[in-house]
Amino acid sequence: MKPTNKNSWRYRLHEIIYEADTPMGKLFDIILLILILLSVVIVMLESVRSIDLEYHKLFYVIEWIITIFFSIEYIARIITVKKPKNYIFSFYGIIDLLSTIPLYLSFILVGSNYLLTVRALRLLRVFRILKITRYIGEGNKLRKALVESRAKIFIFIFAVLIVAIIAGTLMYLIEGEESGFNSIPVSVYWCIVTLTTVGFGDIAPITPAGQFLATIIMILGYGVIAVPTGIVSAQYVRKASDDYVHVNTQSCSNCGEPKHRDDAKFCHKCGEELHPENNPEA
Amino acid sequence: MKPTNKNSWRYRLHEIIYEADTPMGKLFDIILLILILLSVVIVMLESVRSIDLEYHKLFYVIEWIITIFFSIEYIARIITVKKPKNYIFSFYGIIDLLSTIPLYLSFILVGSNYLLTVRALRLLRVFRILKITRYIGEGNKLRKALVESRAKIFIFIFAVLIVAIIAGTLMYLIEGEESGFNSIPVSVYWCIVTLTTVGFGDIAPITPAGQFLATIIMILGYGVIAVPTGIVSAQYVRKASDDYVHVNTQSCSNCGEPKHRDDAKFCHKCGEELHPENNPEA
Amino acid sequence: MKPTNKNSWRYRLHEIIYEADTPMGKLFDIILLILILLSVVIVMLESVRSIDLEYHKLFYVIEWIITIFFSIEYIARIITVKKPKNYIFSFYGIIDLLSTIPLYLSFILVGSNYLLTVRALRLLRVFRILKITRYIGEGNKLRKALVESRAKIFIFIFAVLIVAIIAGTLMYLIEGEESGFNSIPVSVYWCIVTLTTVGFGDIAPITPAGQFLATIIMILGYGVIAVPTGIVSAQYVRKASDDYVHVNTQSCSNCGEPKHRDDAKFCHKCGEELHPENNPEA
Amino acid sequence: MKPTNKNSWRYRLHEIIYEADTPMGKLFDIILLILILLSVVIVMLESVRSIDLEYHKLFYVIEWIITIFFSIEYIARIITVKKPKNYIFSFYGIIDLLSTIPLYLSFILVGSNYLLTVRALRLLRVFRILKITRYIGEGNKLRKALVESRAKIFIFIFAVLIVAIIAGTLMYLIEGEESGFNSIPVSVYWCIVTLTTVGFGDIAPITPAGQFLATIIMILGYGVIAVPTGIVSAQYVRKASDDYVHVNTQSCSNCGEPKHRDDAKFCHKCGEELHPENNPEA
């Protein structure tokens, strides 16, 4: 039963839940956003012992109210949408489900309520609600640039991992357990910490040979950081140049307007025909 | 009462305070700069206990002299400018006010005198005084590039925050309080420290699972650092090439030629007049 | 005796080992990959004491089975290839040998079995097996970009080292042994840790002068990180634009026109034949 | 008295010291390089207590031999050069002098012998000796790119410092002395450590407000790192494109060679005249 009848409650509910054109739809979306934010903040604050001790009951009640609201919303989305299956298995459908389950699970599994922070992903709806099509356009460009660079990025991560495994083993053999290089996996972890220039310092080489090898790893990592940057930069430069055309130095004989497209036959300012063959500069 | 009379004291004071063309104006500006620098240095030194113990009285006196000078200067700027309101609510007007208030406030609020370091912002005047229009040009280009990239930067920070919240929660669940992941907010803080490759190391994962997740976060952060760099690089490269113009999506109603210059009035192909106002896409 | 006879066992073995076109060849390659991965994982786990204590015997047996398999494979590769010397001294030939030796060595040298992680390099074969020519193309581009940038990268590392030696000596003189700057080599190590923005924090300046110098080093390192990135970005951007060709400095002997394509035989301006061999600059 | 006489000892000595064309000149340069390297290594090893205790006398003797050699070389350079003043006040002249003085000074000032590591700068001579004009070309390009970006880099560092002063003061007020933010200068130092993503971790915020502000500083620093990179990338891309020309799609009517320069009148392969006006694609 498709909600084609414009007056049916299903159609009206669909308008409110999925669209943001009507005042009711807008209000619904804004309330939704506030509840998502509130919910994420509460889950985060619950984990702070001192705050939780004082407001535990309040948090508990709000969590349940929000979860019940989200559950109703989830069911309403399924009922009002034309093809429920498409929604249920879409990115947002899965996120919406994952946003309610953890609290119900918390009866059985202690600590699972913290997984409610997955609700943060629901915040991505903000783009749809704020109708920032321009921002979505940017996001799409970004995603496209990343997708097109995926082969390069895959090779890059692969290379980083192989370097980290080899170098990590050497560091384990050189440094040993005294400086915290307890095992090869830990050494490999340290190598990645160093290659990515994060450098926690909880593990650090203390022998001269270890420090020498660390130096090589760091300079390598320093040079290597250039690679993904170069890849994305080049991708971006190329993407960016799609909106630009090359102009030359010929100027219009009528209005003197310079900088015409290479293939221009008429002046874009006054409409006069251009004569590139008479133009010494062209 | 506008200071139009060139011989009025207001006009002369305006020349000295706002312009740097006359010898007096230049002298005023240089004295101002030195006082700003001196003031910032003193506020910083005051916070070093050993230095403060010895020179407290000296610092106190200098601070007050400079503050009174700045207060007089602030009032003089208001009196001599044509439209006082414009100045008072301008960037520099607010900075100038904030540069004097904290010391007066220090009678009531202990420690507020440290806020005098906001005077550092007054140092931005150095560009005006040194008349480095070329540098200002560069600054404007930089600002323009940043403004044009703001949509991309907003999406980028938004994405970083969502990743940090999700990953931070997972780290909290995996590591727990033994390794310093005391709460989700602290874990999210640690995630941002790691994603940005700062890596203080005051908090660091110690369990194998935590270190594995940290590895993924680091490689992610390493790849992600390429994004803002690529954005600004592309923006800069485009800015650098003056031989290219931006084209939009409007198409000619006569020949259908797309991609016209933003300021085009006639089609460059057939000479037909363009009507951007009738173009839904423009 | 070359394996030219298509029915000879040598030819068939060659097909299986070196090619991935036949079902048997594909199966062989996939088994090989799994064994390499398994072997690397086992070497890593062996170094974790708690895991090793429990599964030592199992690991020992698997290690030997895989090593014997690899040894047989190595000999088979030598026998079936047309020019054994080319294989033995090729990159993969050396890696394949290094993948078997350490375990045999472990009878004499304790700990040398950890060097088996060099087998990780064998994982590079994955590219050949998965027939991802596209990925190899990307890898080649990457390698080419790096090779073409090697002069710039060499100068860059050279400059970083000289800065690190000078700055490291100064830090040693300023900070001394109290803050961990025990010797000049250690100080130089610290400088590289700082310049590359890794920043372990196991050694950190505590005197005001040391912190001031550290600030300069950090801002320097921050600016310097832009250099390798810029180099690779530019290299990539250039690679990306297929509409541009490289021109050299030779000039036409007839009309003096400079900047000809590297493969140009005639002047593009006057049609005169070019004589690159007579051109001292070319 | 200029050393114009080709047989004079001055001229011959000049050839040996300043040029690397004759066998004697080459030998001199190589010995010089080895001595510089040896000297730098010895100064570094001298600072390692355990090594110094054992080899102190040996190091002492070698240091003096090298210093006397360098002193003689310095005097010889002054005597044999045409314009001694130009040499003495040149970059290399000053470095050469600074390479000998510290050891003589060590009679008066204890520890000044460590300043001998300034000899590392003499290693820059390696470029001249190895005649790697290509590398010097790269170095010049690099220097030129940096010089042209100096206005942007100046503004950038200026902005970083002002942000660090303001944010450092706030961190001092928020965190206080308990977490190591002992004074504003230390806080500013910490801010630069964080903004540059070095992150030693010797000082780290522990209060929620401090960690929140730190988060903002880090994301700011993360975004800001893009700026110098973008600047240098754009500079490099521009520099790189000097050696490339744009080609279009017209093809030669005689040999079919495609991709000619936009302004080509003759085919660069066969010399045939090109007729862009007959070429529909051009």
Side-chain angles (χ1 to χ4, degrees), chain D residues 176-210:
Chain D
E177 303 194 13
E178 274 166 63
S179 17
F181 293 81
N182 298 315
S183 65
I184 294 180
V186 166
S187 279
V188 170
Y189 161 73
W190 175 86
C191 264
I192 291 170
V193 169
T194 304
L195 269 174
T196 54
T197 77
V198 172
F200 286 128
D202 53 339
I203 307 165
I206 50 171
T207 66

Side-chain angles (χ1 to χ4, degrees), chain C residues 42-214:
Chain C
I42 282 174
V43 174
M44 287 174 77
L45 290 181
E46 262 185 312
S47 71
V48 184
R49 194 162 300 173
S50 60
I51 297 173
D52 190 45
L53 279 174
E54 212 165 326
Y55 301 103
H56 187 73
K57 278 196 181 166
L58 180 71
F59 289 162
Y60 188 79
V61 172
I62 296 173
E63 260 314 314
W64 271 110
I65 292 170
I66 293 175
T67 302
I68 289 163
F69 179 88
F70 282 177
S71 307
I72 293 168
E73 182 220 343
Y74 181 67
I75 293 161
R77 278 184 190 274
I78 293 173
I79 292 171
T80 59
V81 85
K82 281 188 190 175
K83 295 178 182 171
K85 270 189 189 170
N86 283 12
Y87 166 68
I88 291 168
F89 296 106
S90 72
F91 174 72
Y92 281 120
I94 292 162
I95 295 300
D96 289 352
L97 184 63
L98 289 178
S99 299
T100 58
I101 291 179
L103 199 56
Y104 297 119
L105 264 179
S106 68
F107 285 116
I108 312 161
L109 233 71
V110 174
S112 61
N113 62 314
Y114 291 131
L115 295 173
L116 285 171
T117 52
V118 86
R119 282 175 182 170
L121 282 175
R122 296 197 85 194
L123 285 172
L124 290 171
R125 283 183 189 277
V126 75
F127 290 113
R128 197 175 55 79
I129 293 163
L130 296 178
K131 286 253 165 202
I132 328 178
T133 32
R134 195 175 142 231
Y135 282 19
I136 295 176
E138 293 295 345
N140 284 342
K141 256 192 219 169
L142 191 64
R143 205 172 51 221
K144 215 175 161 189
L146 286 177
V147 165
E148 282 175 25
S149 306
R150 73 171 181 282
K152 296 193 196 79
I153 289 166
F154 176 81
I155 286 183
F156 172 71
I157 290 174
F158 198 79
V160 166
L161 284 180
I162 287 179
V163 167
I165 289 172
I166 307 281
T169 306
L170 286 174
M171 286 305 286
Y172 171 71
L173 291 174
I174 292 170
E175 285 286 327
E177 303 193 14
E178 274 166 62
S179 16
F181 293 82
N182 298 316
S183 64
I184 293 179
V186 166
S187 279
V188 170
Y189 161 73
W190 175 86
C191 265
I192 291 171
V193 169
T194 306
L195 269 173
T196 54
T197 76
V198 172
F200 286 129
D202 53 339
I203 308 164
I206 49 170
T207 65
Q211 293 181 336
F212 183 74
L213 183 57

Side-chain angles (χ1 to χ4, degrees), chain B residues 59-131:
Chain B
F59 288 163
Y60 189 79
V61 172
I62 296 175
E63 260 314 315
W64 271 110
I65 292 169
I66 293 175
T67 301
I68 289 164
F69 178 88
F70 283 177
S71 306
I72 294 167
E73 182 219 343
Y74 181 66
I75 293 162
R77 277 183 192 272
I78 292 174
I79 293 171
T80 59
V81 85
K82 281 187 192 175
K83 297 177 181 171
K85 270 189 189 170
N86 283 11
Y87 166 69
I88 290 168
F89 296 105
S90 72
F91 174 72
Y92 281 121
I94 292 161
I95 295 300
D96 289 353
L97 183 65
L98 289 178
S99 299
T100 57
I101 290 179
L103 199 56
Y104 296 120
L105 263 179
S106 67
F107 284 116
I108 311 161
L109 234 70
V110 174
S112 62
N113 63 314
Y114 291 130
L115 294 173
L116 286 171
T117 52
V118 84
R119 283 176 181 167
L121 282 174
R122 296 198 85 195
L123 286 172
L124 290 171
R125 285 183 188 276
V126 74
F127 290 113
R128 199 175 54 78
I129 292 163
L130 296 179
K131 287 250 167 203

